[in-house]
Amino acid sequence: MSRINDVGGMHGFPPIEREIEEPPFHADWEAHVFALNRALIGRGVYNLDEFRDAVERLPPQEFLASSYYERWFRALSTLLVEKGVCTAEELTGA
Amino acid sequence: MSGDHTGTDAAIAAQVRHVEALLEERGLVDPKELDRAMEAFLAKANPDNGARLVARAWLDPAFHHRLLTDASTALTEIGLSMGGGLQEQRLKVVANTPTTHNVIVCTLCSCYPVALLGPSPTWYKSEAYRSRVVRDPRSVLAEFDFHLPPTTTITVWDANAETRFMVIPQRPKNTDNLDEHALANLVTRNGLIGVAPL
């Protein structure tokens, strides 16, 4: 069964929106998420396939409502809990 | 996670800072090292790399052949590797001709030859591009103001976790007198993706 990310050939999406002179990241936190993910994969906390899987199994509604790097941050957070690096409570600061 | 993903940019920035501090506390990341690694990555991974490969291929038919048949090895000849991303990936290079055109995509997510092209643009990662370019590439290219004749065959290459693609655009006309450096300056990121002519 396909997951929400599997959009190849799907009908109904609008024309492509382009941003002229787009920077690599639109906010500082996006660069931090990118760097954190590289560091965690580099340290073997999880691997790239596990990361992709964590992005792609986000609840569909959450997936669609999130920006690209928000998805990354959600996936990274999921894996930190699943790998026992920290608890869900620690993650949210609760 | 609760449904707080629609929070503001400031809210998510605070969450990211919190997680980064937590990981620093656990000894898993060093913020100074993160900054250094990012600077080094962004300095190294940019479309100049892809452009150098293309310029060399235009000038050297033997290199062109090696690039098409075993790109991962050929790119080491000019000091490049695919390791600029998260892990080493295979590279397949495809060349445009007067009658055939190539475009790259990742329909499942955002796989892209980051080491050779730098971070990908947002439109490349959009559902609109990923869903539509495999079904109707000609219309998608037209949205980039790139109008190919109906007789041109278009092939769309769908990247995956292990294999990335890059396009060799057609060499522009009247460039016989240009050296490798000047030729590389003609090559654009969108040309290497296949959504723009040079």
Side-chain angles (χ1 to χ4, degrees), chain A residues 39-57:
Chain A
L40 292 167
I41 290 175
R43 290 192 67 113
V45 174
Y46 50 83
N47 67 34
L48 184 56
D49 291 329
E50 289 173 312
F51 175 67
R52 281 186 54 178
D53 175 63
V55 172
E56 293 167 10
R57 65 186 158 89

Side-chain angles (χ1 to χ4, degrees), chain B residues 84-108:
Chain B
L86 292 167
Q87 61 194 35
E88 197 80 11
Q89 289 116 6
R90 276 194 301 274
L91 174 69
K92 176 161 177 62
V93 174
V94 290
N96 294 340
T97 72
T99 54
T100 61
H101 184 79
N102 297 280
V103 187
I104 67 171
V105 66
C106 173
T107 60
L108 287 175

Side-chain angles (χ1 to χ4, degrees), chain B residues 142-180:
Chain B
E143 286 170 26
F144 286 81
D145 286 321
F146 187 11
H147 303 276
L148 284 166
T151 47
T152 302
T153 302
I154 304 175
T155 304
V156 181
W157 300 83
D158 192 359
N160 59 51
E162 280 82 34
T163 303
R164 306 295 156 90
F165 300 97
M166 191 190 84
V167 175
I168 301 183
Q170 283 192 82
R171 182 172 172 170
K173 291 189 173 71
N174 306 316
T175 55
D176 290 354
N177 58 339
L178 297 185
D179 65 12
E180 192 169 320

Side-chain angles (χ1 to χ4, degrees), chain A residues 5 7 9 11 13-18 22 29 32 35 38 43 48 52 68 70-71 74 85 90-91, chain B residues 5 9 12 15 18 20 26 28 84-86 108 110 122 127-128 130-132 134-135 143-144 161:
Chain A
N5 62 294
V7 299
H11 283 288
F13 283 102
I16 288 132
E17 282 179 38
R18 280 188 290 156
E22 182 180 358
W29 68 263
H32 279 260
R38 281 174 66 82
R43 290 192 67 113
L48 184 56
R52 281 186 54 178
Y68 185 73
E70 272 184 84
R71 291 173 190 167
R74 302 296 160 208
V85 173
E90 286 171 322
L91 208 56
Chain B
H5 51 271
D9 219 42
I12 191 164
Q15 289 170 31
H18 171 73
E20 192 170 323
R26 304 278 143 100
L28 283 168
L86 292 167
L108 287 175
S110 54
T122 297
E127 277 81 20
R130 289 159 43 216
S131 64
R132 295 179 50 227
V134 288
R135 181 180 287 281
E143 286 170 26
F144 286 81

Side-chain angles (χ1 to χ4, degrees), chain B:
Chain B
M1 301 292 292
S2 64
D4 57 359
H5 51 271
T6 51
T8 63
D9 219 42
I12 191 164
Q15 289 170 31
V16 172
R17 273 197 304 277
H18 171 73
V19 169
E20 192 170 323
L22 201 69
L23 293 173
E24 186 186 356
E25 200 182 284
R26 304 278 143 100
L28 283 168
V29 301
D30 168 359
K32 283 198 192 102
E33 179 49 37
L34 282 185
D35 287 346
R36 271 198 301 275
M38 273 301 281
E39 266 176 47
F41 166 75
L42 289 173
K44 240 178 86 179
N46 67 68
D48 294 351
N49 295 328
R52 282 174 59 210
L53 284 168
V54 167
R56 174 69 59 92
W58 283 339
L59 290 172
D60 181 346
F63 181 75
H64 187 271
H65 179 74
R66 291 196 295 280
L67 197 53
L68 293 187
T69 50
D70 181 8
S72 300
T73 305
L75 58 100
T76 64
E77 292 179 36
I78 60 169
L80 296 173
S81 82
M82 288 295 282
L86 292 167
Q87 61 194 35
E88 197 80 11
Q89 289 116 6
R90 276 194 301 274
L91 174 69
K92 176 161 177 62
V93 174
V94 290
N96 294 340
T97 72
T99 54
T100 61
H101 184 79
N102 297 280
V103 187
I104 67 171
V105 66
C106 173
T107 60
L108 287 175
C109 49
S110 54
C111 296
Y112 185 77
V114 172
L116 304 178
L117 269 64
S120 59
T122 297
W123 62 257
Y124 182 86
K125 298 177 280 213
S126 70
E127 277 81 20
Y129 179 73
R130 289 159 43 216
S131 64
R132 295 179 50 227
V133 77
V134 288
R135 181 180 287 281
D136 188 5
R138 214 171 286 274
S139 298
V140 168
L141 294 182
E143 286 170 26
F144 286 81
D145 286 321
F146 187 11
H147 303 276
L148 284 166
T151 47
T152 302
T153 302
I154 304 175
T155 304
V156 181
W157 300 83
D158 192 359
N160 59 51
E162 280 82 34
T163 303
R164 306 295 156 90
F165 300 97
M166 191 190 84
V167 175
I168 301 183
Q170 283 192 82
R171 182 172 172 170
K173 291 189 173 71
N174 306 316
T175 55
D176 290 354
N177 58 339
L178 297 185
D179 65 12
E180 192 169 320
H181 181 72
L183 285 171
N185 282 338
L186 300 176
V187 181
T188 62
R189 179 197 68 198
N190 282 4
L192 297 165
I193 298 173
V195 294
L198 297 184

